Structures are given as structure tokens and as C-alpha cells.
Amino acid sequence: MNYQEVRKNRSTATRRDILEAASRLIRELGFEKMTIRNVCAEAGVTTGAFYHHFSSKDELISQGFSSLDDHLEKAMTGKMELPPAQRLEALAQAYAWYVEELGWQTMSLYYQRRLTAPSAVVISPDRFTLRTMEACFQELSQQGELSPGYTPTQLSDLCFRLFRGEVIDWILHEGGYPLLPKMIQDFNMLDTAFRP
């Protein structure tokens, strides 16, 4: 591995450590009481390292979810050859695990920031999550396992919004129920609704 790759890997690990530390501290202290110094101490990094990745506490929350697709891509390693319905369920499991690990408080802050961001992209078609869903629905369509009248793009968009809606409901209930079983239950209902 060359020097640039080592630096990039170290930088990615530092960013991840900062995000994980912030998530733990938000659950323990709350966002308002969490300080950048707390985060740095918890992550074992300098404040300079923090400011290399994030300009403020608010940006930390706004950018924090960008690691979801990285997590999902890693979690799906070795599962991309599963049949499409099983792959979608594995994606839902990885998504729910990640969200539950962040905690409902962190997710609540994230969505509050997203709702007030003037230029927030709603759903980028380049996201790993959306691309994976669309590929699964494309395969199901080619296998004749989807009702006609719905495109893979429409179904992946609906499924993505279902995931997001599940998370928001979970936040509204202050994380009062396990997210994964509810997501799987609703995904299975969606799955049967669009089968011929």
C-alpha cells in the first residue's frame, strides 16, 4: 500500500471514529451538552483532526449520515449474489442495525437538520442503497416476479421512502421498539403487494 492510500485509510478511520464517538456522546449527554472537545477525547483525536473533517458540531450531524452507504456497502459484501428478495432483506437488516446503533436522538437531530437545510438533496440516485434496491427490483422484474405497471425505479424509490418513514416513526416513538422487526414486517407487506 502506498503512502497516499495509507493516509486516505487513516483519514477515513478518523472520520468514522469521530462520528461513532459523537453518536455515543449524543446518546449519553444529548447534543446540546456534547462539545467538540468531548468528541475529540472520546474518539482519541485532536481538535485539529476534528476540524479537518467537520467545520462544526452542526456539520457533524448534517454529514454524519454520509457514512450509511459506506456501512451498507461493507455489510453487503458477500451478499450481492443472494436472490433479489433476500438481498433486499439483508439491506434492510444492515440499514436498521446502523440506525439503531446511532440511536434515536442522533437520528432525530439528523432529520431536523435535513428538514431545515435549504439545499438538502432528498434522494440521490447515486446512493449505494438506492442503486442496490433498484438492481434487485430490476432482477425481480426480469424474472416476472413483479406486477406490471411499476418500474424498478418507482419501486426502489418507494422502498427507500418506506425505510426512511420507518426510521422517522421509530424516532417519534423515541426508539421505543426494535426497528428491524418492524422494517422486515413492512417490507414483506410491500413485497407481497407488488407480486403478480
Side-chain angles (χ1 to χ4, degrees), residues 129-145:
T129 310
L130 196 59
R131 286 184 290 118
T132 301
M133 288 178 183
E134 188 165 357
C136 291
F137 286 118
Q138 183 68 43
E139 287 179 47
L140 288 168
S141 179
Q142 289 169 349
Q143 295 167 2
E145 297 202 29

Side-chain angles (χ1 to χ4, degrees), residues 76 79-92 128-146 151-153 155-156 159 163 187 191 195:
M76 293 300 290
K79 297 178 182 168
M80 296 305 280
E81 301 304 319
L82 290 172
Q86 290 178 6
R87 202 173 335 135
L88 285 167
E89 188 168 326
L91 189 67
F128 173 82
T129 310
L130 196 59
R131 286 184 290 118
T132 301
M133 288 178 183
E134 188 165 357
C136 291
F137 286 118
Q138 183 68 43
E139 287 179 47
L140 288 168
S141 179
Q142 289 169 349
Q143 295 167 2
E145 297 202 29
L146 292 179
T151 68
T153 300
L155 292 173
S156 59
C159 193
F163 279 17
F187 170 76
D191 183 45
R195 298 278 183 159

